[in-house]
Amino acid sequence: MLDSASEEEFSEEKTTEEISQLSYLQLSSLALSGDTAYSEKTSTGFLEKTGYPDSVYIMAANIFQGIRFEKSPEKVLIKYGNEPLPSSTESEDESFQRLSYELAFSALKFQDILETILIDSYIFPSTIIPDHLNSLIIVMLYDFQDRKFQARLLSDNEESIAEVLEVENLLNSFKTKLAAALARCRIKHDALSIYHILPETVRNQELRASTLPLYAWINTCKISPEEVYHSLKKKGYNKVKSVLHIDNKVFAVDQHCYDVLIFPSHLKSDLLNIDLFKDYKLVFQDKSRSLAVHSVKALLNMDDDILMVNTGSWYTVAHMSVLTNNNTSKIFVCGVQSHAKDPDLKNLFTKMGCKNIEILHETFINLESKDHRLQKVKVILLLPRCSGLGVSNPVEFILNEHEDTGLLKDFFQGGPSEDKLHVLAQQQYEQLTHAMKFTRAQAVVYCTYSVYPEENEAVVKKALEFQDHGTKVQSYRLSPPVLPLCSLKEIHLSTDKFFRMEPSEITNGCFLSVLTRERDLSETVSVKDVLARAAAKGLLDGIELGKPSKREKKKKKSKMSLPKSSTSDSSRLQMTTAEFLSQETNASAHQSGTLTTKTSLPQKNTNQVGSSSQVRKSNKPTTNPLVPTFMKNTPPSRPYERTTNFVRPRPEDRMIALKPIEIVLPPVMLPFSSSQGIRSQIPTQHFYCRWVGPKTVMPGYLPTPSIPRRGKKPKENLPSSLPRHPRPWL
């Protein structure tokens, strides 16, 4: 058994080992977030923590007070008060909040060990401390041992808080006893550091969080992807296919989202100092939110509006705005209850170049489908609050996507209780069913961070089963994922039409479902909407979509007539669409109609062609000796019909209905003398070539001689009534 002196010496010798892997992870997170003011490099090049500002300790103590584990009365070692400590205005800063949550979460994980150290070092009950300061003692003790019991460095311009100074002086006075108590705790658990006392599941989760790649989407409102690649290359970053297990400065393009880049986790501190991130040209965000907004984008027409529910991070709203920048869509964001945030949000969106965002202060449940502002909303993006157990970093999840600090306790325990999971699932079901009541909406995208079926598949299936089928609108149905499936595993996980991503070393967990229904039959789907969706799929290369005309904005009460020819792109596209539909109808009739029906259309076109300056032929042309005589006045025989049935139509015959025309070629003048004797011996040969339909052509028949029209005798000699002219086509 070690005495106090030997234990203190043992502790001093093992100070390097005291920098546990947990401390390293937290130091890394501080450096990654740019808060290097709370750590400094030593002569060996390692970062060494120097402490936090007083306001961070106060805020962390209040957070810990709300999430701490409560024990039964017979096991209570330290009593905690119920009064929160007064916090300063600095606690509203995002960087201070992140530091406070990290410190409170670390204290929560080691609550039992820290309480044991306080009892073993005789701080309790030898000193009289108010109960409301015990939470502050716990969080400051964790930071004290994490700094190897070294003094905290204070900045000159920092204001001190009396409660923090009181607790700090107490811990410094028990420094030796605290170090000895910590050494005994490590020996008892046979652990190199207190980090190794944690459950293995918690350690694996934190290790995955420290190595998870960084995802950032490109703000195409301010910069193009090619310009981003060029700028990163100038900074020394090389484009690769995968960033896993690469320590160099590299990046890759995500397979699911074309505007999302992937970076190794250790490069965040370097990336934050690049102008691309400072100017909001690149924005860090978890990949699952990019998957959600890209799913919405794939379902939109040109002027469809979007309703976003429980967005969490405002970067999600900004990303949705960037993807719809070229459309006339408007994005409605509900649930912003405080009007005081409006100026800050508008300032943020202005910096990011977002212009089509409108903030609604009503909660989603209180919104009605008949709201005049939401009449053009066609897609609803629902990001409900969930357990979030698919995320590796709970602090980032709570700060960006959730406000419930109690999730920190759920993360440490490995999941929420059954009662809490049931409450979350019920809330998600109510929000999803309310979204399905918006009669003008055509799609709902449902996305969570959860890995529990109770929050994912069960909620969606229940909402589809119990939806109201009595309304005039079409019912919702489950649609396949609109995102690309890039691996066999993703294909296997999406066999039931749900898109899933399991937590792994490259991404957090994600669940995504798309519910769609047919558009209301009373609504006319304009050509513009069809072309917009085709353009989104890259099917209109080289054709620019013009601005909508005033006529398209008005509701058409009568049948739309065929548009007149115009040189503009929009008129040309509308006429092409109308002709295509008409030709499709004619093509189907052409294949199934009778022979008489086929020959009726060329009569009209022949008259149109005959109005040209060419020589019009007589009603009863004479036969030509060079023309085959197998074509008679009688209809084709039965074998002939069978033969033509075996001729497979060309692919273009199925798509374009060809217009039969008659082409009259000039007579061939042979180089002989123009004497009457020779002319009487050698008749002038005229070749009349005419296309009369695909079914009149025999297989293997050579079209050199002319084919006479049905019901007409073959031509033999040129009628004498026709004028003789060396150039009859002039």
Side-chain angles (χ1 to χ4, degrees), residues 143-209:
D143 179 61
F144 194 31
Q145 66 82 29
D146 198 25
R147 288 185 281 116
K148 300 175 292 186
F149 299 100
Q150 300 298 316
R152 180 169 63 113
L153 299 179
L154 301 176
S155 59
D156 298 335
N157 55 355
E158 182 180 349
E159 295 183 2
S160 300
I161 300 177
E163 291 83 358
V164 175
L165 290 178
E166 180 182 355
V167 173
E168 187 172 26
N169 292 333
L170 175 64
L171 296 177
N172 283 327
S173 63
F174 281 83
K175 174 182 176 179
T176 302
K177 294 182 179 180
L178 289 172
L182 175 61
R184 288 193 292 269
C185 181
R186 289 168 46 200
I187 293 173
K188 178 182 178 180
H189 292 86
D190 192 19
L192 182 63
S193 65
I194 63 173
Y195 170 77
H196 295 89
I197 303 176
L198 290 175
E200 185 178 0
T201 55
V202 178
R203 284 183 287 163
N204 293 337
Q205 185 183 27
E206 293 190 349
L207 182 61
R208 186 171 68 89

Side-chain angles (χ1 to χ4, degrees), residues 120-145:
D120 195 17
S121 61
Y122 298 101
I123 290 183
F124 290 98
S126 61
T127 57
I128 300 176
I129 303 174
D131 292 345
H132 69 279
L133 292 180
N134 288 340
S135 297
L136 183 60
I137 293 177
I138 291 293
V139 297
M140 292 190 68
L141 175 59
Y142 173 80
D143 179 61
F144 194 31
Q145 66 82 29

Side-chain angles (χ1 to χ4, degrees), residues 355-372:
K355 301 178 181 179
N356 57 342
I357 301 174
E358 183 172 338
I359 299 175
L360 306 179
H361 296 282
E362 299 92 337
T363 59
F364 177 60
I365 298 297
N366 294 331
L367 285 176
E368 296 182 358
S369 60
K370 297 182 180 180
D371 194 320
H372 68 280

Side-chain angles (χ1 to χ4, degrees), residues 622-635:
T622 58
T623 59
N624 193 311
L626 298 180
V627 179
T629 60
F630 71 91
M631 297 294 295
K632 302 294 182 181
N633 297 336
T634 59

Side-chain angles (χ1 to χ4, degrees), residues 70-80 115 119:
E70 296 182 0
K71 301 179 181 179
S72 57
E74 63 273 8
K75 296 182 179 180
V76 171
L77 301 178
I78 299 176
K79 295 181 180 181
Y80 298 91
E115 289 179 352
I119 298 297

Side-chain angles (χ1 to χ4, degrees), residues 36-157:
T36 56
Y38 312 119
S39 60
E40 61 180 10
K41 283 189 176 182
T42 62
S43 58
T44 58
F46 293 99
L47 289 174
E48 195 171 274
K49 298 185 69 173
T50 59
Y52 299 100
D54 291 5
S55 58
V56 172
Y57 291 119
I58 294 294
M59 187 176 181
N62 290 333
I63 296 173
F64 176 80
Q65 176 69 24
I67 64 175
R68 61 181 176 83
F69 295 105
E70 296 182 0
K71 301 179 181 179
S72 57
E74 63 273 8
K75 296 182 179 180
V76 171
L77 301 178
I78 299 176
K79 295 181 180 181
Y80 298 91
N82 296 324
E83 300 178 4
L85 297 173
S87 59
S88 61
T89 56
E90 293 180 349
S91 60
E92 299 179 0
D93 185 82
E94 182 180 354
S95 60
F96 277 68
Q97 289 182 359
R98 179 171 282 100
L99 294 173
S100 301
Y101 273 98
E102 290 175 350
L103 183 57
F105 187 40
S106 299
L108 175 69
K109 291 181 290 187
F110 298 100
Q111 178 179 343
D112 291 340
I113 298 175
L114 296 174
E115 289 179 352
T116 302
I117 292 175
L118 289 175
I119 298 297
D120 195 17
S121 61
Y122 298 101
I123 290 183
F124 290 98
S126 61
T127 57
I128 300 176
I129 303 174
D131 292 345
H132 69 279
L133 292 180
N134 288 340
S135 297
L136 183 60
I137 293 177
I138 291 293
V139 297
M140 292 190 68
L141 175 59
Y142 173 80
D143 179 61
F144 194 31
Q145 66 82 29
D146 198 25
R147 288 185 281 116
K148 300 175 292 186
F149 299 100
Q150 300 298 316
R152 180 169 63 113
L153 299 179
L154 301 176
S155 59
D156 298 335
N157 55 355

Side-chain angles (χ1 to χ4, degrees), residues 671-719:
F672 291 103
S673 174
S674 58
S675 63
Q676 295 294 334
I678 299 178
R679 287 191 179 184
S680 60
Q681 297 176 4
I682 303 176
T684 304
Q685 299 178 1
H686 289 249
F687 294 91
Y688 295 90
C689 300
R690 183 186 302 112
W691 186 93
V692 294
K695 288 192 176 182
T696 61
V697 180
M698 292 290 294
Y701 172 67
L702 298 178
T704 50
S706 62
I707 301 176
R709 185 168 33 180
R710 294 189 192 90
K712 303 286 183 178
K713 293 183 179 181
K715 299 179 182 179
E716 296 179 355
N717 296 322
L718 184 68

